[in-house]
Amino acid sequence: MQRTLAIIKPDGVSAGHIGKVIAHIEREGLRIAAMRMEHLTKGEAEGFYDVHRDKPFFPSLVSFMTEGPCVLLVLEGENAIERWRKLMGATDPAKAEPGTIRREMGTNIERNVVHGSDAPGTAAFEVGYFFRGCEIHY
Ligand code: ATP
Ligand code: MG
């Protein structure tokens, strides 16, 4: 059993893709252990993406992630990190496999609809960044 943090980013929420993203998650058999809608503050977005602080795209990424509400989810299951990243597809929607969320719903390398943790260590940090233990079910 593994947990990962998923985010439906502001582009996905504003385009009306919440239901479609959740359908991908449930079809894959990943369990939703926690879920909350939240409009991130600048500080929350900067702290969340701290590993990218020195990248040229960081200011634009923070501005994008704070332009409207996100849906934050904790997903749970066998090999959940890799399975969720496979459903998302490559960072750049143009390079993502057909049938993936980013390929089907993404706009460009920044506005790519969803986030997923990339390893067990980052998943633990990211789940704890947004959820208290008592908010995670199962
Ligand atoms: P995420 O961490 O959001 O799941 P990822 O792991 O596929 O995505 P990262 O390299 O961690 O990709 O980048 C984090 C986010 O920063 C991307 O999802 C995207 O929104 C944005 N981003 C990444 N690379 C670029 C880029 N070259 N130009 C603009 N935005 C970018
Ligand atoms: Mg990443």
Side-chain angles (χ1 to χ4, degrees), residues 2-20:
Q2 194 175 57
R3 282 178 179 160
T4 188
L5 185 88
I7 302 179
I8 307 175
K9 298 181 180 184
D11 59 331
V13 173
S14 70
H17 292 325
I18 296 174
K20 267 178 284 180

mmCIF file with all atom_site columns, all heavy atoms in Angstrom, residues 2-20:
data_model
loop_
_atom_site.group_PDB
_atom_site.id
_atom_site.type_symbol
_atom_site.label_atom_id
_atom_site.label_alt_id
_atom_site.label_comp_id
_atom_site.label_asym_id
_atom_site.label_entity_id
_atom_site.label_seq_id
_atom_site.pdbx_PDB_ins_code
_atom_site.Cartn_x
_atom_site.Cartn_y
_atom_site.Cartn_z
_atom_site.occupancy
_atom_site.B_iso_or_equiv
_atom_site.pdbx_formal_charge
_atom_site.auth_seq_id
_atom_site.auth_comp_id
_atom_site.auth_asym_id
_atom_site.auth_atom_id
_atom_site.pdbx_PDB_model_num
ATOM 1   N N   . GLN A 1 2  ? 0.538   2.184  -0.875  1.00 0.00 ? 2  GLN A N   1
ATOM 2   C CA  . GLN A 1 2  ? 1.333   3.408  -1.008  1.00 0.00 ? 2  GLN A CA  1
ATOM 3   C C   . GLN A 1 2  ? 0.382   4.586  -1.151  1.00 0.00 ? 2  GLN A C   1
ATOM 4   O O   . GLN A 1 2  ? -0.720  4.425  -1.664  1.00 0.00 ? 2  GLN A O   1
ATOM 5   C CB  . GLN A 1 2  ? 2.186   3.266  -2.270  1.00 0.00 ? 2  GLN A CB  1
ATOM 6   C CG  . GLN A 1 2  ? 3.307   4.251  -2.415  1.00 0.00 ? 2  GLN A CG  1
ATOM 7   C CD  . GLN A 1 2  ? 4.156   3.919  -3.645  1.00 0.00 ? 2  GLN A CD  1
ATOM 8   O OE1 . GLN A 1 2  ? 3.651   3.851  -4.762  1.00 0.00 ? 2  GLN A OE1 1
ATOM 9   N NE2 . GLN A 1 2  ? 5.443   3.704  -3.426  1.00 0.00 ? 2  GLN A NE2 1
ATOM 10  N N   . ARG A 1 3  ? 0.827   5.748  -0.672  1.00 0.00 ? 3  ARG A N   1
ATOM 11  C CA  . ARG A 1 3  ? 0.027   6.967  -0.846  1.00 0.00 ? 3  ARG A CA  1
ATOM 12  C C   . ARG A 1 3  ? 0.764   7.947  -1.738  1.00 0.00 ? 3  ARG A C   1
ATOM 13  O O   . ARG A 1 3  ? 1.990   8.008  -1.723  1.00 0.00 ? 3  ARG A O   1
ATOM 14  C CB  . ARG A 1 3  ? -0.214  7.649  0.501   1.00 0.00 ? 3  ARG A CB  1
ATOM 15  C CG  . ARG A 1 3  ? -1.290  6.977  1.310   1.00 0.00 ? 3  ARG A CG  1
ATOM 16  C CD  . ARG A 1 3  ? -1.449  7.662  2.651   1.00 0.00 ? 3  ARG A CD  1
ATOM 17  N NE  . ARG A 1 3  ? -2.516  7.012  3.407   1.00 0.00 ? 3  ARG A NE  1
ATOM 18  C CZ  . ARG A 1 3  ? -2.657  7.099  4.721   1.00 0.00 ? 3  ARG A CZ  1
ATOM 19  N NH1 . ARG A 1 3  ? -1.812  7.808  5.442   1.00 0.00 ? 3  ARG A NH1 1
ATOM 20  N NH2 . ARG A 1 3  ? -3.661  6.472  5.309   1.00 0.00 ? 3  ARG A NH2 1
ATOM 21  N N   . THR A 1 4  ? -0.014  8.750  -2.472  1.00 0.00 ? 4  THR A N   1
ATOM 22  C CA  . THR A 1 4  ? 0.577   9.813  -3.286  1.00 0.00 ? 4  THR A CA  1
ATOM 23  C C   . THR A 1 4  ? -0.321  11.038 -3.229  1.00 0.00 ? 4  THR A C   1
ATOM 24  O O   . THR A 1 4  ? -1.516  10.915 -2.969  1.00 0.00 ? 4  THR A O   1
ATOM 25  C CB  . THR A 1 4  ? 0.783   9.332  -4.751  1.00 0.00 ? 4  THR A CB  1
ATOM 26  O OG1 . THR A 1 4  ? 1.535   10.313 -5.464  1.00 0.00 ? 4  THR A OG1 1
ATOM 27  C CG2 . THR A 1 4  ? -0.528  9.085  -5.480  1.00 0.00 ? 4  THR A CG2 1
ATOM 28  N N   . LEU A 1 5  ? 0.266   12.208 -3.442  1.00 0.00 ? 5  LEU A N   1
ATOM 29  C CA  . LEU A 1 5  ? -0.546  13.422 -3.504  1.00 0.00 ? 5  LEU A CA  1
ATOM 30  C C   . LEU A 1 5  ? -0.859  13.748 -4.962  1.00 0.00 ? 5  LEU A C   1
ATOM 31  O O   . LEU A 1 5  ? 0.043   13.805 -5.803  1.00 0.00 ? 5  LEU A O   1
ATOM 32  C CB  . LEU A 1 5  ? 0.157   14.622 -2.874  1.00 0.00 ? 5  LEU A CB  1
ATOM 33  C CG  . LEU A 1 5  ? -0.800  15.826 -2.860  1.00 0.00 ? 5  LEU A CG  1
ATOM 34  C CD1 . LEU A 1 5  ? -1.654  15.823 -1.603  1.00 0.00 ? 5  LEU A CD1 1
ATOM 35  C CD2 . LEU A 1 5  ? -0.087  17.140 -3.007  1.00 0.00 ? 5  LEU A CD2 1
ATOM 36  N N   . ALA A 1 6  ? -2.139  13.954 -5.231  1.00 0.00 ? 6  ALA A N   1
ATOM 37  C CA  . ALA A 1 6  ? -2.590  14.383 -6.553  1.00 0.00 ? 6  ALA A CA  1
ATOM 38  C C   . ALA A 1 6  ? -3.197  15.774 -6.413  1.00 0.00 ? 6  ALA A C   1
ATOM 39  O O   . ALA A 1 6  ? -3.808  16.095 -5.391  1.00 0.00 ? 6  ALA A O   1
ATOM 40  C CB  . ALA A 1 6  ? -3.632  13.404 -7.094  1.00 0.00 ? 6  ALA A CB  1
ATOM 41  N N   . ILE A 1 7  ? -3.004  16.600 -7.447  1.00 0.00 ? 7  ILE A N   1
ATOM 42  C CA  . ILE A 1 7  ? -3.673  17.907 -7.490  1.00 0.00 ? 7  ILE A CA  1
ATOM 43  C C   . ILE A 1 7  ? -4.343  18.057 -8.851  1.00 0.00 ? 7  ILE A C   1
ATOM 44  O O   . ILE A 1 7  ? -3.720  17.773 -9.881  1.00 0.00 ? 7  ILE A O   1
ATOM 45  C CB  . ILE A 1 7  ? -2.676  19.078 -7.302  1.00 0.00 ? 7  ILE A CB  1
ATOM 46  C CG1 . ILE A 1 7  ? -1.912  18.960 -5.984  1.00 0.00 ? 7  ILE A CG1 1
ATOM 47  C CG2 . ILE A 1 7  ? -3.406  20.426 -7.372  1.00 0.00 ? 7  ILE A CG2 1
ATOM 48  C CD1 . ILE A 1 7  ? -0.882  20.080 -5.752  1.00 0.00 ? 7  ILE A CD1 1
ATOM 49  N N   . ILE A 1 8  ? -5.610  18.476 -8.829  1.00 0.00 ? 8  ILE A N   1
ATOM 50  C CA  . ILE A 1 8  ? -6.237  18.964 -10.065 1.00 0.00 ? 8  ILE A CA  1
ATOM 51  C C   . ILE A 1 8  ? -5.969  20.461 -10.051 1.00 0.00 ? 8  ILE A C   1
ATOM 52  O O   . ILE A 1 8  ? -6.440  21.197 -9.180  1.00 0.00 ? 8  ILE A O   1
ATOM 53  C CB  . ILE A 1 8  ? -7.741  18.653 -10.132 1.00 0.00 ? 8  ILE A CB  1
ATOM 54  C CG1 . ILE A 1 8  ? -7.987  17.151 -9.899  1.00 0.00 ? 8  ILE A CG1 1
ATOM 55  C CG2 . ILE A 1 8  ? -8.303  19.082 -11.503 1.00 0.00 ? 8  ILE A CG2 1
ATOM 56  C CD1 . ILE A 1 8  ? -9.474  16.761 -9.827  1.00 0.00 ? 8  ILE A CD1 1
ATOM 57  N N   . LYS A 1 9  ? -5.121  20.906 -10.981 1.00 0.00 ? 9  LYS A N   1
ATOM 58  C CA  . LYS A 1 9  ? -4.612  22.284 -10.988 1.00 0.00 ? 9  LYS A CA  1
ATOM 59  C C   . LYS A 1 9  ? -5.713  23.264 -11.435 1.00 0.00 ? 9  LYS A C   1
ATOM 60  O O   . LYS A 1 9  ? -6.744  22.846 -11.982 1.00 0.00 ? 9  LYS A O   1
ATOM 61  C CB  . LYS A 1 9  ? -3.390  22.355 -11.907 1.00 0.00 ? 9  LYS A CB  1
ATOM 62  C CG  . LYS A 1 9  ? -2.212  21.469 -11.435 1.00 0.00 ? 9  LYS A CG  1
ATOM 63  C CD  . LYS A 1 9  ? -1.012  21.592 -12.373 1.00 0.00 ? 9  LYS A CD  1
ATOM 64  C CE  . LYS A 1 9  ? 0.145   20.709 -11.892 1.00 0.00 ? 9  LYS A CE  1
ATOM 65  N NZ  . LYS A 1 9  ? 1.356   20.888 -12.738 1.00 0.00 ? 9  LYS A NZ  1
ATOM 66  N N   . PRO A 1 10 ? -5.490  24.559 -11.239 1.00 0.00 ? 10 PRO A N   1
ATOM 67  C CA  . PRO A 1 10 ? -6.536  25.549 -11.545 1.00 0.00 ? 10 PRO A CA  1
ATOM 68  C C   . PRO A 1 10 ? -7.078  25.484 -12.979 1.00 0.00 ? 10 PRO A C   1
ATOM 69  O O   . PRO A 1 10 ? -8.263  25.747 -13.198 1.00 0.00 ? 10 PRO A O   1
ATOM 70  C CB  . PRO A 1 10 ? -5.840  26.887 -11.283 1.00 0.00 ? 10 PRO A CB  1
ATOM 71  C CG  . PRO A 1 10 ? -4.823  26.565 -10.230 1.00 0.00 ? 10 PRO A CG  1
ATOM 72  C CD  . PRO A 1 10 ? -4.332  25.179 -10.570 1.00 0.00 ? 10 PRO A CD  1
ATOM 73  N N   . ASP A 1 11 ? -6.245  25.085 -13.945 1.00 0.00 ? 11 ASP A N   1
ATOM 74  C CA  . ASP A 1 11 ? -6.744  24.984 -15.327 1.00 0.00 ? 11 ASP A CA  1
ATOM 75  C C   . ASP A 1 11 ? -7.766  23.853 -15.443 1.00 0.00 ? 11 ASP A C   1
ATOM 76  O O   . ASP A 1 11 ? -8.791  24.003 -16.116 1.00 0.00 ? 11 ASP A O   1
ATOM 77  C CB  . ASP A 1 11 ? -5.590  24.791 -16.332 1.00 0.00 ? 11 ASP A CB  1
ATOM 78  C CG  . ASP A 1 11 ? -4.754  23.550 -16.075 1.00 0.00 ? 11 ASP A CG  1
ATOM 79  O OD1 . ASP A 1 11 ? -4.644  23.123 -14.905 1.00 0.00 ? 11 ASP A OD1 1
ATOM 80  O OD2 . ASP A 1 11 ? -4.201  22.990 -17.046 1.00 0.00 ? 11 ASP A OD2 1
ATOM 81  N N   . GLY A 1 12 ? -7.503  22.739 -14.758 1.00 0.00 ? 12 GLY A N   1
ATOM 82  C CA  . GLY A 1 12 ? -8.422  21.600 -14.798 1.00 0.00 ? 12 GLY A CA  1
ATOM 83  C C   . GLY A 1 12 ? -9.737  21.912 -14.101 1.00 0.00 ? 12 GLY A C   1
ATOM 84  O O   . GLY A 1 12 ? -10.814 21.539 -14.592 1.00 0.00 ? 12 GLY A O   1
ATOM 85  N N   . VAL A 1 13 ? -9.656  22.612 -12.974 1.00 0.00 ? 13 VAL A N   1
ATOM 86  C CA  . VAL A 1 13 ? -10.870 22.975 -12.238 1.00 0.00 ? 13 VAL A CA  1
ATOM 87  C C   . VAL A 1 13 ? -11.702 23.954 -13.068 1.00 0.00 ? 13 VAL A C   1
ATOM 88  O O   . VAL A 1 13 ? -12.904 23.752 -13.265 1.00 0.00 ? 13 VAL A O   1
ATOM 89  C CB  . VAL A 1 13 ? -10.517 23.580 -10.860 1.00 0.00 ? 13 VAL A CB  1
ATOM 90  C CG1 . VAL A 1 13 ? -11.763 24.115 -10.164 1.00 0.00 ? 13 VAL A CG1 1
ATOM 91  C CG2 . VAL A 1 13 ? -9.825  22.524 -9.979  1.00 0.00 ? 13 VAL A CG2 1
ATOM 92  N N   . SER A 1 14 ? -11.061 25.003 -13.594 1.00 0.00 ? 14 SER A N   1
ATOM 93  C CA  . SER A 1 14 ? -11.839 26.039 -14.293 1.00 0.00 ? 14 SER A CA  1
ATOM 94  C C   . SER A 1 14 ? -12.414 25.513 -15.610 1.00 0.00 ? 14 SER A C   1
ATOM 95  O O   . SER A 1 14 ? -13.460 25.978 -16.059 1.00 0.00 ? 14 SER A O   1
ATOM 96  C CB  . SER A 1 14 ? -11.008 27.306 -14.510 1.00 0.00 ? 14 SER A CB  1
ATOM 97  O OG  . SER A 1 14 ? -10.009 27.050 -15.457 1.00 0.00 ? 14 SER A OG  1
ATOM 98  N N   . ALA A 1 15 ? -11.758 24.536 -16.219 1.00 0.00 ? 15 ALA A N   1
ATOM 99  C CA  . ALA A 1 15 ? -12.273 23.977 -17.476 1.00 0.00 ? 15 ALA A CA  1
ATOM 100 C C   . ALA A 1 15 ? -13.367 22.930 -17.243 1.00 0.00 ? 15 ALA A C   1
ATOM 101 O O   . ALA A 1 15 ? -13.907 22.383 -18.203 1.00 0.00 ? 15 ALA A O   1
ATOM 102 C CB  . ALA A 1 15 ? -11.127 23.368 -18.277 1.00 0.00 ? 15 ALA A CB  1
ATOM 103 N N   . GLY A 1 16 ? -13.651 22.629 -15.983 1.00 0.00 ? 16 GLY A N   1
ATOM 104 C CA  . GLY A 1 16 ? -14.717 21.653 -15.700 1.00 0.00 ? 16 GLY A CA  1
ATOM 105 C C   . GLY A 1 16 ? -14.272 20.210 -15.848 1.00 0.00 ? 16 GLY A C   1
ATOM 106 O O   . GLY A 1 16 ? -15.068 19.353 -16.226 1.00 0.00 ? 16 GLY A O   1
ATOM 107 N N   . HIS A 1 17 ? -12.992 19.930 -15.525 1.00 0.00 ? 17 HIS A N   1
ATOM 108 C CA  . HIS A 1 17 ? -12.462 18.575 -15.687 1.00 0.00 ? 17 HIS A CA  1
ATOM 109 C C   . HIS A 1 17 ? -12.388 17.772 -14.385 1.00 0.00 ? 17 HIS A C   1
ATOM 110 O O   . HIS A 1 17 ? -11.816 16.683 -14.380 1.00 0.00 ? 17 HIS A O   1
ATOM 111 C CB  . HIS A 1 17 ? -11.058 18.624 -16.305 1.00 0.00 ? 17 HIS A CB  1
ATOM 112 C CG  . HIS A 1 17 ? -11.028 19.105 -17.728 1.00 0.00 ? 17 HIS A CG  1
ATOM 113 N ND1 . HIS A 1 17 ? -12.034 18.828 -18.639 1.00 0.00 ? 17 HIS A ND1 1
ATOM 114 C CD2 . HIS A 1 17 ? -10.102 19.828 -18.403 1.00 0.00 ? 17 HIS A CD2 1
ATOM 115 C CE1 . HIS A 1 17 ? -11.718 19.367 -19.807 1.00 0.00 ? 17 HIS A CE1 1
ATOM 116 N NE2 . HIS A 1 17 ? -10.562 19.989 -19.689 1.00 0.00 ? 17 HIS A NE2 1
ATOM 117 N N   . ILE A 1 18 ? -12.935 18.293 -13.290 1.00 0.00 ? 18 ILE A N   1
ATOM 118 C CA  . ILE A 1 18 ? -12.803 17.560 -12.010 1.00 0.00 ? 18 ILE A CA  1
ATOM 119 C C   . ILE A 1 18 ? -13.381 16.145 -12.135 1.00 0.00 ? 18 ILE A C   1
ATOM 120 O O   . ILE A 1 18 ? -12.735 15.164 -11.762 1.00 0.00 ? 18 ILE A O   1
ATOM 121 C CB  . ILE A 1 18 ? -13.519 18.310 -10.854 1.00 0.00 ? 18 ILE A CB  1
ATOM 122 C CG1 . ILE A 1 18 ? -12.861 19.668 -10.587 1.00 0.00 ? 18 ILE A CG1 1
ATOM 123 C CG2 . ILE A 1 18 ? -13.489 17.473 -9.570  1.00 0.00 ? 18 ILE A CG2 1
ATOM 124 C CD1 . ILE A 1 18 ? -13.620 20.530 -9.560  1.00 0.00 ? 18 ILE A CD1 1
ATOM 125 N N   . GLY A 1 19 ? -14.583 16.051 -12.647 1.00 0.00 ? 19 GLY A N   1
ATOM 126 C CA  . GLY A 1 19 ? -15.253 14.751 -12.731 1.00 0.00 ? 19 GLY A CA  1
ATOM 127 C C   . GLY A 1 19 ? -14.504 13.763 -13.612 1.00 0.00 ? 19 GLY A C   1
ATOM 128 O O   . GLY A 1 19 ? -14.362 12.593 -13.270 1.00 0.00 ? 19 GLY A O   1
ATOM 129 N N   . LYS A 1 20 ? -13.987 14.263 -14.744 1.00 0.00 ? 20 LYS A N   1
ATOM 130 C CA  . LYS A 1 20 ? -13.276 13.375 -15.667 1.00 0.00 ? 20 LYS A CA  1
ATOM 131 C C   . LYS A 1 20 ? -11.977 12.860 -15.043 1.00 0.00 ? 20 LYS A C   1
ATOM 132 O O   . LYS A 1 20 ? -11.602 11.707 -15.215 1.00 0.00 ? 20 LYS A O   1
ATOM 133 C CB  . LYS A 1 20 ? -12.957 14.118 -16.971 1.00 0.00 ? 20 LYS A CB  1
ATOM 134 C CG  . LYS A 1 20 ? -14.028 13.924 -18.029 1.00 0.00 ? 20 LYS A CG  1
ATOM 135 C CD  . LYS A 1 20 ? -13.708 14.714 -19.287 1.00 0.00 ? 20 LYS A CD  1
ATOM 136 C CE  . LYS A 1 20 ? -14.009 16.178 -19.052 1.00 0.00 ? 20 LYS A CE  1
ATOM 137 N NZ  . LYS A 1 20 ? -13.732 17.029 -20.213 1.00 0.00 ? 20 LYS A NZ  1
#
